[in-house]
Amino acid sequence: MHTMFQIISEQFQNYKIIRRMAKFGDRATYQSHYLGLAWEVLNPLIQIGIYYLVFGVALKRGDPMPGVPYLPWMVVGITPWLFMNRSVLDASKSVYQEVGLASKMKFPVSILPSIKIVGNLASFWTMLAFSVFLMLVNHMYPSVSWIQFIYYFICMMALLYALGIFNSTVTVLVRDWQITLQSILRMLFYMSGVLFNFATSNFPVLLIRILELNPFYYIINGMRESLLNKGWVWQEPNLTISIVFWMFVFIVMTVGTFLHNKFRANFVDLI
């Protein structure tokens, strides 16, 4: 427990370094591209266009929620998914790729996953602004339920760091884990309610309840309900799922920080 709080405190103590390194990483990634940082927006927009043509047009899916067209509903959900998917994968490689840099610059290795997560936030905010634009075009206006977005954003960042510190350590110990993680995330894409609403599907009730325990689903559905004014976090079944979500984050964070603290002195040798 002490180790977990120590590593969490390192994130706040080194927040300025995290921001500077994340900003530098973004520029370095696209410095040789003609469109530069514009690809941070173009890539998700292209994916959204493909998914909408397949699921919204070709398969002619109806409104997933009463009074909510498919396109804004899908974009509000796919925005956090694209951010979480990329952040989980980037954070899982962070220690393996950058531990040498951390040893030279003398900052805690534990902030490497945070640098990757923060580096992807610019794309997330841009896509969120696009989501709000689509909502306004479809006559869905801000309401008091939007305040819940802050809570779900905190949930998302907590989940991403817990997974980041765990996956980045395991990837150093077991190199195959990073490839396995990619396959897991591809499967979770279809199990997180990004493209269709579990509540309006023909799935058995028990299966829906199991799928709702997915932490990615909790965040995606929570942000949707907040921005689309369709539910509150303290209502059932959201309250029960919230407890399960935070238990999951706590367990992953505890195991991840323990492993990180145990092996970080040997990261360079292991790599």
Side-chain angles (χ1 to χ4, degrees):
M1 184 70 71
H2 174 72
T3 299
M4 181 177 68
F5 286 116
Q6 178 185 352
I7 289 180
I8 291 175
S9 68
E10 290 177 353
Q11 312 310 304
F12 292 99
Q13 293 168 5
N14 296 275
Y15 180 68
K16 291 183 179 179
I17 295 177
I18 292 173
R19 288 193 62 184
R20 288 199 299 268
M21 293 296 293
K23 188 175 182 180
F24 172 79
D26 284 343
R27 292 179 177 177
T29 300
Y30 296 100
Q31 64 179 354
S32 61
H33 297 71
Y34 289 114
L35 297 180
L37 291 175
W39 282 112
E40 290 278 352
V41 179
L42 291 176
N43 276 328
L45 285 179
I46 292 171
Q47 292 184 61
I48 288 172
I50 294 172
Y51 289 131
Y52 178 69
L53 288 175
V54 173
F55 292 93
V57 177
L59 298 182
K60 298 181 180 180
R61 300 194 66 85
D63 294 351
M65 284 184 175
V68 180
Y70 184 76
L71 180 59
W73 181 89
M74 183 193 71
V75 173
V76 170
I78 206 171
T79 293
W81 167 260
L82 291 176
F83 170 66
M84 290 189 289
N85 179 72
R86 182 175 176 183
S87 295
V88 168
L89 291 176
D90 287 352
S92 70
K93 299 180 290 184
S94 60
V95 172
Y96 181 81
Q97 293 178 335
E98 307 291 351
V99 68
L101 178 64
S103 62
K104 294 176 182 177
M105 297 184 67
K106 304 302 180 183
F107 59 76
V109 180
S110 66
I111 73 171
L112 291 176
S114 293
I115 292 172
K116 296 297 184 180
I117 295 169
V118 172
N120 291 324
L121 274 175
S123 176
F124 172 75
W125 293 125
T126 303
M127 292 307 302
L128 184 64
F130 178 64
S131 302
V132 173
F133 169 75
L134 284 178
M135 292 169 58
L136 295 176
V137 168
N138 286 272
H139 310 291
M140 291 175 281
Y141 303 107
S143 68
V144 67
S145 68
W146 282 32
I147 194 69
Q148 293 183 125
F149 177 84
I150 299 173
Y151 164 75
Y152 286 108
F153 179 79
I154 294 172
C155 291
M156 180 171 66
M157 298 303 286
L159 174 66
L160 289 178
Y161 186 74
L163 292 174
I165 198 70
F166 174 82
N167 289 325
S168 61
T169 304
V170 175
T171 298
V172 173
L173 302 176
V174 184
R175 289 295 296 132
D176 291 343
W177 176 244
Q178 213 278 325
I179 299 176
T180 303
L181 188 61
Q182 294 179 25
S183 301
I184 293 173
L185 287 171
R186 291 192 193 100
M187 178 182 64
L188 287 176
F189 175 72
Y190 297 99
M191 297 176 61
S192 300
V194 179
L195 300 177
F196 54 90
N197 191 349
F198 294 150
T200 58
S201 65
N202 295 321
F203 294 164
V205 175
L206 178 59
L207 178 59
I208 293 176
R209 294 293 173 261
I210 294 174
L211 292 173
E212 287 176 345
L213 297 178
N214 177 354
F216 291 98
Y217 170 83
Y218 175 72
I219 293 170
I220 292 169
N221 186 63
M223 289 187 173
R224 273 185 177 141
E225 290 187 339
S226 300
L227 297 179
L228 300 177
N229 193 26
K230 296 298 180 180
W232 296 93
V233 66
W234 57 80
Q235 295 174 329
E236 290 291 348
N238 285 348
L239 183 59
T240 302
I241 300 174
S242 298
I243 296 173
V244 174
F245 171 83
W246 283 110
M247 288 178 60
F248 175 82
V249 171
F250 177 78
I251 292 171
V252 175
M253 183 79 78
T254 301
V255 175
T257 52
F258 170 78
L259 292 174
H260 179 88
N261 187 64
K262 181 177 180 180
F263 293 103
R264 66 175 167 182
N266 302 315
F267 278 158
V268 175
D269 296 331
L270 290 170
I271 293 173

